[in-house]
Amino acid sequence: ETGVTQTPRHLVMGMTNKKSLKCEQHLGHNAMYWYKQSAKKPLELMFVYSLEERVENNSVPSRFSPECPNSSHLFLHLHTLQPEDSALYLCASSQEETGLGYEQYFGPGTRLTVT
Amino acid sequence: AQKVTQAQTEISVVEKEDVTLDCVYETRDTTYYLFWYKQPPSGELVFLIRRNSFDEQNEISGRYSWNFQKSTSSFNFTITASQVVDSAVYFCALSETTGNQFYFGTGTSLTVIP
């Protein structure tokens, strides 16, 4: 247990559905992250939040919409996804933003399948 | 170009053998951080180590050791006397102080055969 939980662990959705992924960290960290992990590709950083403000958006399609209501919770809202969006979505947190060199602690991920 | 290169995609060793996982990075920053993470089949990435660019001392933690060489831009990871529980995908990562970016390599899948 790393102190970062994610729900659901598995999600199957159609291309017209709307769903949300939830992440919660119990570590008292100030920064949270969403990553996408596809087979045979490096982890892709999608979003970075620091003190609930978005500081990084790596040109992610608008069908992915993050929300960070407080420093402990992070959501990823999904709508009209494509089959190529099927992947493992990982949430992470760190004491501060990445640039300060703090290690990140990861949740177990949500395995998303888009049909 | 890849910021972090892990050239070994898959490695298999027999239990009790030593194994070294290679990591080569690329950055123009003078201050940066390097990490290793382990991802077991359960999926959760587990933090193993962080080094900053000013500390080239090698580190040992139990059966794990890390060799950081700035001259070759490498940060290699050695597991001594491997065990079946070491079977996982291992990721090397780079954090640059400019740009708030965290770069992962593609990972090395290690299988330890009993």
Side-chain angles (χ1 to χ4, degrees), chain B residues 39-50:
Chain B
Q39 187 177 36
S42 60
E44 193 168 296
L45 271 84
V46 177
F47 164 73
L48 295 178
I49 190 171
R50 176 190 63 188

Side-chain angles (χ1 to χ4, degrees), chain A residues 13-69:
Chain A
M13 58 186 288
M15 297 197 316
T16 57
N17 291 160
K18 287 185 181 181
K19 296 286 183 183
S20 295
L21 309 185
K22 179 183 175 182
C23 175
E24 184 173 358
Q25 58 97 359
H26 311 274
L27 300 168
H29 288 166
N30 290 322
M32 296 187 77
Y33 311 80
W34 278 117
Y35 285 88
K36 176 183 179 183
Q37 186 177 28
S38 306
K40 309 292 184 188
K41 293 173 72 174
L43 272 78
E44 300 171 50
L45 179 61
M46 300 175 72
F47 300 103
V48 179
Y49 275 85
S50 177
L51 296 171
E52 302 139 51
E53 296 290 324
R54 189 158 77 189
V55 297
E56 190 72 32
N57 174 358
N58 290 322
S59 303
V60 178
S62 59
R63 55 186 184 270
F64 295 92
S65 174
E67 179 189 359
C68 188

Side-chain angles (χ1 to χ4, degrees), chain A residues 1-2 9 35 37 41-43 45 55-56 58 88 90 97-108, chain B residues 2 9-10 33 35 37 39 42-47 50 91 94-102 104-106:
Chain A
E1 285 282 332
T2 62
R9 294 293 306 275
Y35 285 88
Q37 186 177 28
K41 293 173 72 174
L43 272 78
L45 179 61
V55 297
E56 190 72 32
N58 290 322
L88 181 68
L90 292 161
E97 287 172 45
T98 304
L100 299 178
Y102 291 96
E103 63 272 22
Q104 297 178 27
Y105 292 84
F106 285 80
Chain B
Q2 282 263 68
T9 307
E10 295 180 2
Y33 300 86
F35 304 79
Y37 284 85
Q39 187 177 36
S42 60
E44 193 168 296
L45 271 84
V46 177
F47 164 73
R50 176 190 63 188
F91 291 92
L94 164 71
S95 172
E96 296 178 322
T97 49
T98 55
N100 271 334
Q101 279 294 339
F102 207 85
F104 279 86
T106 49

Side-chain angles (χ1 to χ4, degrees), chain B:
Chain B
Q2 282 263 68
K3 285 276 194 177
V4 178
T5 301
Q6 294 180 255
Q8 304 149 307
T9 307
E10 295 180 2
I11 301 176
S12 289
V13 298
V14 176
E15 201 170 18
K16 297 184 183 175
E17 285 184 350
D18 299 347
V19 58
T20 295
L21 309 182
D22 298 333
C23 173
V24 174
Y25 62 93
E26 178 187 328
T27 181
R28 292 185 178 181
D29 282 16
T30 53
T31 303
Y32 54 90
Y33 300 86
L34 296 163
F35 304 79
W36 274 96
Y37 284 85
K38 173 182 179 180
Q39 187 177 36
S42 60
E44 193 168 296
L45 271 84
V46 177
F47 164 73
L48 295 178
I49 190 171
R50 176 190 63 188
R51 301 312 300 267
N52 73 57
S53 51
F54 299 108
D55 183 2
E56 283 193 77
Q57 267 197 321
N58 291 331
E59 182 155 340
I60 298 175
S61 175
R63 296 184 297 107
Y64 295 170
S65 62
W66 290 270
N67 184 348
F68 176 28
Q69 293 199 345
K70 286 178 79 168
S71 59
T72 55
S73 296
S74 65
F75 186 43
N76 296 338
F77 173 30
T78 297
I79 302 175
T80 303
S82 59
Q83 299 176 2
V84 172
V85 294
D86 296 327
S87 297
V89 180
Y90 290 86
F91 291 92
C92 180
L94 164 71
S95 172
E96 296 178 322
T97 49
T98 55
N100 271 334
Q101 279 294 339
F102 207 85
Y103 302 96
F104 279 86
T106 49
T108 297
S109 177
L110 173 66
T111 301
V112 180
I113 303 164

